[in-house]
Amino acid sequence: MHPAQDKDGGEGRVQNIIVADESAQIRLTFWNEDVDRIKDLQEGDVVSVTHAYAKEGFRGGVEVHLGRRAEIEINPKGSPLEQLDLSDLSVESRSQAAGLVRIREIDESNEGKSVEVSGIVMGATQASPVYPACPSCRKKVEEEGGRFTCSVCGDVKEPEYRMLYKITVDDGSGSIRATLFGETGEELLGMTAEEAHELITKSGNNLEPLERNSDRILGKYVSVRGRVSKFRDSMEIAASGLAFPDLVEVSKRERERIDELIR
């Protein structure tokens, strides 16, 4: 366990562990009070996690993060993993990490590739950060006369609201827009999509969630990971991961990067 900057900019705690079954291994990330729930965990214990979510890891690969709805059970009775032999499993990630790049280096040659950029959030799109979606297929639904219709599933009685908005990140070499989806967008905004929808409904202002939380978004130093795509004449990033890095670590990485370039 080590200290880290949480999404509110304050001091938090983070603990990463590696878990494995008979097929593979993966990293689990626990934050703040969830760290206490695994304080007595020992190597070889069985961990059951439900209602967590997967995202692209900050250093590449896939990680599992515990959100607000996650449940943890240590050594559940009757688990078939109790006798699992893990001797042949490596804890090293088998996936290729996305590279940290300067924004000015991103062009059409990066299209379709995963990258990581770090910089300051300079702005957010002036549009509602949530949209109504079909609870079955997750596609956006259309509203007309109080009725919601999905192009795939037909009439939708009660849509679910999902987060989707864009931010502009500047690293000093240039700026780029990044689209934040789902929990990634909720993490930066500091509220769920349902909470944002309720705020919009009460205020009558589609921008209320962004305006009310502008002080926690604008000027925030973030690292964004995702796939590069071209939108009209500009390159953008479809974010799959968001982190709030320690600036000391960022400076260290930049120093190593410069040393590598001048060798």
Side-chain angles (χ1 to χ4, degrees), residues 85-91 94:
D85 181 6
L86 303 180
S87 59
D88 293 332
L89 287 174
S90 168
V91 298
R94 295 183 175 89

Side-chain angles (χ1 to χ4, degrees), residues 2-261:
H2 57 85
Q5 187 181 51
D6 63 20
K7 63 186 180 184
D8 296 315
E11 184 175 336
R13 295 177 297 158
V14 62
Q15 174 76 60
N16 295 311
I17 65 172
I18 301 295
V19 297
D21 61 12
E22 64 277 0
S23 64
Q25 53 82 35
I26 197 168
R27 182 188 302 271
L28 285 182
T29 299
F30 299 81
W31 288 89
N32 298 325
E33 63 271 11
D34 285 332
V35 172
D36 295 328
R37 300 169 68 180
I38 59 168
K39 63 181 180 180
D40 297 323
L41 196 66
Q42 301 292 323
E43 183 175 344
D45 285 345
V46 176
V47 180
S48 173
V49 176
T50 56
H51 306 303
Y53 62 95
K55 62 188 293 186
E56 188 173 4
F58 183 51
R59 301 294 183 191
V62 177
E63 297 178 349
V64 174
H65 286 241
L66 278 72
R68 288 174 288 272
R69 305 177 187 88
E71 298 178 3
I72 310 167
E73 187 176 1
I74 309 298
N75 294 320
K77 293 183 179 180
S79 171
L81 298 179
E82 291 177 350
Q83 305 301 320
L84 180 64
D85 181 6
L86 303 180
S87 59
D88 293 332
L89 287 174
S90 168
V91 298
E92 296 297 324
S93 172
R94 295 183 175 89
S95 58
Q96 185 177 8
L100 176 65
V101 299
R102 289 289 192 184
I103 291 175
R104 69 183 177 195
E105 299 171 357
I106 298 176
D107 55 26
E108 292 184 0
S109 66
N110 299 105
E111 190 170 1
K113 297 179 180 179
S114 291
V115 299
E116 174 191 333
V117 298
S118 296
I120 296 173
V121 179
M122 303 299 293
T125 50
Q126 296 299 297
S128 173
V130 297
Y131 68 93
C134 174
S136 298
C137 68
R138 302 292 179 87
K139 288 185 176 294
K140 183 178 180 179
V141 299
E142 299 296 331
E143 181 182 6
E144 184 176 352
R147 293 182 58 186
F148 295 94
T149 305
C150 172
S151 61
V152 175
C153 304
D155 289 341
V156 174
K157 183 177 180 180
E158 189 71 32
E160 65 177 21
Y161 286 86
R162 298 180 62 78
M163 194 74 75
L164 173 65
Y165 62 96
K166 294 184 179 183
I167 59 173
T168 300
V169 179
D170 191 301
D171 69 353
S173 73
S175 62
I176 194 168
R177 296 175 81 181
T179 303
L180 307 184
F181 307 89
E183 297 235 17
T184 302
E186 292 177 337
E187 191 173 12
L188 180 61
L189 198 56
M191 62 174 57
T192 66
E194 288 292 342
E195 290 170 341
H197 170 64
E198 291 176 5
L199 191 57
I200 290 171
T201 301
K202 291 179 180 179
S203 66
N205 178 11
N206 285 339
L207 300 179
E208 185 67 19
L210 294 170
E211 292 176 351
R212 181 170 295 194
N213 293 287
S214 62
D215 58 338
R216 64 172 291 133
I217 298 175
L218 301 181
K220 190 82 168 180
Y221 192 88
V222 299
S223 286
V224 179
R225 291 179 55 83
R227 195 170 299 278
V228 177
S229 62
K230 187 175 182 180
F231 181 71
R232 296 177 181 171
D233 295 327
S234 301
M235 308 309 294
E236 297 189 349
I237 297 175
S240 57
L242 183 72
F244 307 94
D246 184 331
L247 290 178
V248 174
E249 286 299 317
V250 172
S251 298
K252 181 179 178 181
R253 290 175 63 187
E254 283 298 300
R255 191 178 302 113
E256 292 172 350
R257 175 188 173 91
I258 293 172
D259 289 343
E260 185 68 25
L261 290 173

